[in-house]
Amino acid sequence: MKTFYGRANPTTGGLDWVEESEEYDYHQEIARSCYADMLHDRDRNEKYYQGIRAAVSRVKARGERVIVLDIGTGTGLLSMMAVTAGADFCYAVEVFTPMAKAAASIVKKNSFSDKIKVINKHSSEVTVGPDGDMQERANILVTELFDTELIGEGALPSYEHAHLHLMQEGCEAVPHRATIYAQLVESEHLWNWTQIRPVQVDGHTLLPPAAMGQCSGTPSVCDIQLSQVPQSAFTALGPLCTMFSVDFSKLVSSTPCSYSSRFVVQAGGRAQVVLSWWDLDMDPSGSIVCSMAPKWTYSEPKEYPWRDHWMQSVYFLPAERNVSEGDELSLTVFHDDYSLWYSLSDGVDKSSSRPCCTCQAHLVWTRPRFGELNDWQRTERYLRALRSILRPDSVCLAVSDGSLLPIFAHQLGAKKVFSLENSGMSKQVIEQFLEANSIKNGVQLLGIQAEQLTAADLEEEQISVLIGEPFFSTSLLPWHSLFFWHCRTALARLLQPGATILPCSATLYLLAVEFEDLWRIRAPCGTCESFDVSPMDEMVQQSLDFRESREAEPHHLWEYPCRALTKPHPVMTFDFQQCVPERPVNSQGILPLTGRGRCHGFALWMEYNLTEDVTVSMGLSKPVSEEGECVWSPHRKQGVYFLQTPWESSGDGRTVVSYNLTFDPNIGDIKMDFSITQP
């Protein structure tokens, strides 16, 4: 039986009908998850193995039969560790059906089927008894239910149910304990991700709506590789505070709760942001610790265990406040079943209301988008380009999602400005800006799609200037923003002859790179040179027995250091002065590997040519250094194409990469093929 489901195409704007059969192959879906990264996390694996062995020894020392419950087993690795450590039997619970099937296959392949039972259910649905999923309650609880926020995957209710219904009283737990830490900081860099700053436009000050400054923002955590945020980008106002701990060997409550930490302010400034991370104690004594602390907390940075499945958290206070050295304050953390949030007060804050966006901007714009709108250098490039093309008789139409460009065009003196806003919420956000700056009639917002626009909507005016950033909320990969090109094509009938298009074109760039760590998330376990030969390592290698995706995927590369092995190379140019072609566009060429190292794949990004002399890059924000250092724009995701097997480069330029890229305008995607020629 075959079924079809509709999927919006981010590049063409159309609806693609995708076929899904009963034999749907989930290998790519599994490959794109974080399982590979977890399996490559040697520090995590070793700490879990040590904790499991210690727990099994403690239970055996009591003369008990060892029964393990592994909730969220994934590939089955932790269950196999438990049996290897001497457990008598293990129940491995996994709710994700494709992963449960993979776990059962891996368990069988490793000859553990007689001691491990894979249960394809949510743990809350597991039953105990003669006819149940488990024959008896377990006395060791092994879990990996954690996310960057610790509890975001429902760890608390899962633990609570397990202790009440699936575990023996006085059981062991691996991990045994989790502790959450937090630090109050001032950071203009991070604060720019949650509030819009005023913008100076030729004598005008564009002010954000008052509602935005009073809004507590979105409740979702901002999880990032905090190690890549330079310490110069924030000032610690207080000490690192221990907020609370959870003992997983005892009954855990999922009831909403709060914890406060009293501290003395160490440096005056503006309290804006809370940085947070957590540790896992794998045993009761706390001698086996798996820490999520960022790299700059380590006295020896080489000891820092890189991981991407668990990062660090950034929380924005509901409002910034001035604090002085010597002030005594309370930092309070609240939690419900799935999330945390913080407040700062002079006393103990008993308020437990979860932050909620009331201005709608935090629902329309992502945090990188806030940062992009606050980037004054980027804004000045757009203003410079607009000044060069706008005339007093210009009739402008803007095509982007929630963009300030149409307001800029009005303030720079355009005769009329229209703006297409496909999203009702983004339309309301821009309306707030217009009202806050008393220019409600200066920009006419049209809540329709480009192909639906008529001359009547434009008051019978012809468009002389079409502008866009381009930014669209549905874009993931760099070329998804070519939706602007499709809109331009749909609007051709309404454009004046010789109308100005901004940006006038876009260029796709390609760069061969050696990643410091990101390569691990897609590398087969057998290629991870950090593993030694041991029973655990063999299990790890067997636990990633599926095919990998051969497509580019989006990543914020500023979080993932890499080194260039070639020069940035333009591979495709898209001319927005012309309509989208009907036939595919192909580009072939070669790139010499001029940097010495291991090529893990290719970074791809767009550079938009606003005018002939003004360009905005969505990739590299600085030229590549002689050593190959890359500095990436934090505002947009870049595309990454991972090679199945890394290529070695001697750096002499004789090793050559051949590329073959084809952009299909009908599906809005780019097919890629790379090969290597060595002397």
Side-chain angles (χ1 to χ4, degrees):
M1 179 180 178
K2 295 181 179 180
T3 57
F4 294 85
Y5 64 93
R7 181 178 63 189
N9 188 303
T11 308
T12 66
L15 186 66
D16 294 340
W17 288 99
V18 181
E19 177 184 312
E20 181 177 313
S21 68
E22 291 181 348
E23 292 76 33
Y24 176 74
D25 184 0
Y26 286 95
H27 283 95
Q28 287 192 2
E29 188 171 346
I30 294 174
R32 288 179 177 177
S33 69
C34 61
Y35 288 107
D37 176 41
M38 288 190 290
L39 294 171
H40 279 303
D41 187 345
R42 184 177 182 87
D43 179 72
R44 163 196 177 269
N45 295 337
E46 286 184 339
K47 300 295 173 57
Y48 261 100
Y49 199 27
Q50 292 169 17
I52 289 171
R53 284 188 299 179
V56 170
S57 296
R58 290 194 297 273
V59 173
K60 283 184 174 292
R62 299 199 294 261
E64 300 176 20
R65 186 166 175 264
V66 179
I67 306 299
V68 176
L69 173 61
D70 174 11
I71 298 178
T73 193
T75 61
L77 176 62
L78 301 185
S79 293
M80 292 188 291
M81 287 182 180
V83 172
T84 302
D88 294 287
F89 199 81
C90 183
Y91 296 99
V93 179
E94 175 57 53
V95 68
F96 183 38
T97 298
M99 203 67 247
K101 290 180 179 178
S105 175
I106 293 166
V107 165
K108 182 178 180 180
K109 191 172 184 178
N110 284 274
S111 303
F112 287 122
S113 296
D114 59 333
K115 288 195 173 184
I116 298 177
K117 178 182 179 182
V118 178
I119 303 172
N120 182 203
K121 287 184 176 181
H122 191 279
S123 63
S124 62
E125 300 174 342
V126 173
T127 57
V128 179
D131 298 322
D133 302 301
M134 299 171 59
Q135 294 297 300
E136 57 188 310
R137 289 185 177 229
N139 50 19
I140 296 181
L141 177 57
V142 176
T143 63
E144 205 283 65
L145 299 172
F146 314 115
D147 67 349
T148 294
E149 205 171 13
L150 183 69
I151 66 173
E153 292 186 3
L156 295 182
S158 295
Y159 271 110
E160 185 175 39
H161 177 272
H163 277 290
L164 289 172
H165 303 284
L166 307 176
M167 302 304 301
Q168 299 176 22
E169 189 175 348
C171 67
E172 301 283 344
V174 182
H176 178 83
R177 181 191 305 111
T179 304
I180 288 185
Y181 304 93
Q183 187 167 39
L184 180 69
V185 304
E186 174 185 347
S187 176
E188 192 76 12
H189 175 78
L190 296 175
W191 192 247
N192 278 338
W193 293 357
T194 193
Q195 294 290 342
I196 294 295
R197 303 299 188 187
V199 182
Q200 298 298 321
V201 184
D202 289 14
H204 303 281
T205 301
L206 180 62
L207 298 171
M212 289 186 188
Q214 299 164 2
C215 180
S216 59
T218 178
S220 61
V221 67
C222 176
D223 55 340
I224 61 173
Q225 289 284 358
L226 199 54
S227 297
Q228 298 308 313
V229 176
Q231 288 182 275
S232 60
F234 62 88
T235 301
L237 303 180
L240 184 64
C241 299
T242 301
M243 299 309 300
F244 69 94
S245 294
V246 182
D247 186 339
F248 297 126
S249 68
K250 299 178 181 178
L251 179 61
V252 173
S253 174
S254 61
T255 303
C257 193
S258 66
Y259 306 87
S260 293
S261 179
R262 195 81 174 157
F263 70 96
V264 176
V265 175
Q266 297 175 337
R270 289 178 297 158
Q272 299 169 319
V273 176
V274 175
L275 309 181
S276 181
W277 56 86
W278 44 268
D279 289 348
L280 292 177
D281 291 330
M282 294 298 183
D283 65 326
S285 68
S287 60
I288 308 170
V289 181
C290 187
S291 176
M292 306 309 122
K295 188 174 185 177
W296 34 258
T297 65
Y298 283 71
S299 56
E300 291 292 336
K302 291 183 179 180
E303 296 178 0
Y304 171 70
W306 183 87
R307 50 177 64 96
D308 200 48
H309 53 104
W310 295 328
M311 293 185 280
Q312 296 79 38
S313 301
V314 173
Y315 297 91
F316 302 98
L317 292 177
E320 61 181 343
R321 62 173 285 184
N322 292 321
V323 298
S324 301
E325 183 179 354
D327 287 351
E328 194 171 345
L329 300 173
S330 286
L331 184 64
T332 302
V333 60
F334 304 88
H335 77 75
D336 53 20
D337 284 6
Y338 294 94
S339 60
L340 306 175
W341 61 95
Y342 284 82
S343 73
L344 183 68
S345 61
D346 297 317
V348 177
D349 190 351
K350 296 294 185 181
S351 171
S352 61
S353 58
R354 195 165 179 256
C356 178
C357 176
T358 55
C359 72
Q360 298 194 60
H362 299 92
L363 304 178
V364 169
W365 294 329
T366 63
R367 292 185 177 94
R369 178 60 171 164
F370 270 91
E372 187 170 50
L373 293 172
N374 283 323
D375 185 340
W376 66 268
Q377 291 181 319
R378 169 191 168 279
T379 297
E380 183 53 40
R381 287 177 180 268
Y382 279 99
L383 290 174
R384 181 152 57 96
L386 286 171
R387 291 188 195 102
S388 70
I389 63 171
L390 290 178
R391 303 289 180 267
D393 61 348
S394 294
V395 177
C396 295
L397 176 64
V399 179
S400 287
D401 285 352
S403 174
L404 300 181
L405 285 194
I407 301 179
F408 296 161
H410 167 74
Q411 292 180 318
L412 291 173
K415 173 187 172 183
K416 285 189 178 181
V417 181
F418 301 89
S419 180
L420 292 184
E421 292 288 350
N422 291 328
S423 163
M425 283 207 305
S426 65
K427 181 172 179 285
Q428 291 176 29
V429 168
I430 301 303
E431 284 174 344
Q432 290 181 56
F433 271 91
L434 298 176
E435 188 170 345
N437 292 275
S438 302
I439 51 175
K440 199 161 186 179
N441 295 324
V443 179
Q444 297 188 43
L445 304 178
L446 306 173
I448 54 179
Q449 298 178 354
E451 59 269 19
Q452 299 171 328
L453 192 67
T454 66
D457 296 317
L458 300 174
E459 301 174 355
E460 305 303 328
E461 297 271 11
Q462 277 195 308
I463 302 164
S464 60
V465 179
L466 179 66
I467 60 177
E469 299 195 39
F471 170 82
F472 302 100
S473 57
T474 54
S475 298
L476 293 175
L477 289 162
W479 43 91
H480 288 170
S481 289
L482 291 176
F483 179 56
F484 175 81
W485 200 13
H486 285 266
C487 291
R488 176 259 182 270
T489 303
L491 294 166
R493 68 193 189 284
L494 300 174
L495 298 178
Q496 286 184 10
T500 301
I501 313 294
L502 183 156
C504 58
S505 64
T507 302
L508 179 67
Y509 277 80
L510 178 71
L511 183 69
V513 295
E514 176 184 51
F515 284 111
E516 188 174 304
D517 292 296
L518 185 63
W519 62 273
R520 301 174 190 274
I521 71 171
R522 293 293 172 262
C525 282
T527 68
C528 186
E529 70 274 3
S530 65
F531 288 115
D532 300 322
V533 177
S534 70
M536 185 193 76
D537 297 329
E538 290 176 4
M539 286 186 286
V540 168
Q541 293 185 31
Q542 294 289 353
S543 296
L544 196 61
D545 189 18
F546 49 77
R547 296 185 295 277
E548 59 181 320
S549 169
R550 302 310 306 145
E551 300 174 350
E553 53 190 78
H555 290 282
H556 279 298
L557 288 184
W558 73 268
E559 296 186 68
Y560 307 105
C562 63
R563 195 166 56 85
L565 300 180
T566 63
K567 294 181 179 180
H569 185 69
V571 291
M572 255 184 208
T573 296
F574 308 94
D575 185 1
F576 298 153
Q577 304 288 348
Q578 307 297 322
C579 291
V580 176
E582 295 182 0
R583 300 177 65 84
V585 179
N586 180 260
S587 176
Q588 301 180 40
I590 59 173
L591 274 172
L593 291 172
T594 55
R596 184 181 182 87
R598 174 172 289 188
C599 179
H600 293 117
F602 302 90
L604 301 106
W605 69 96
M606 286 288 200
E607 291 193 2
Y608 289 99
N609 307 303
L610 304 184
T611 60
E612 290 185 359
D613 59 347
V614 181
T615 300
V616 175
S617 174
M618 303 304 172
L620 291 170
S621 57
K622 292 182 179 179
V624 175
S625 71
E626 292 184 5
E627 295 75 26
E629 180 186 7
C630 301
V631 180
W632 299 97
S633 167
H635 308 317
R636 301 284 181 102
K637 289 184 177 181
Q638 292 76 40
V640 178
Y641 184 98
F642 290 99
L643 294 170
Q644 186 172 11
T645 303
W647 296 339
E648 298 294 337
S649 169
S650 61
D652 58 10
R654 292 191 298 167
T655 301
V656 174
V657 175
S658 299
Y659 64 85
N660 187 342
L661 279 65
T662 302
F663 172 68
D664 188 335
N666 296 313
I667 63 174
D669 205 0
I670 297 179
K671 295 181 180 179
M672 305 178 189
D673 185 55
F674 299 92
S675 60
I676 187 169
T677 302
Q678 295 178 316

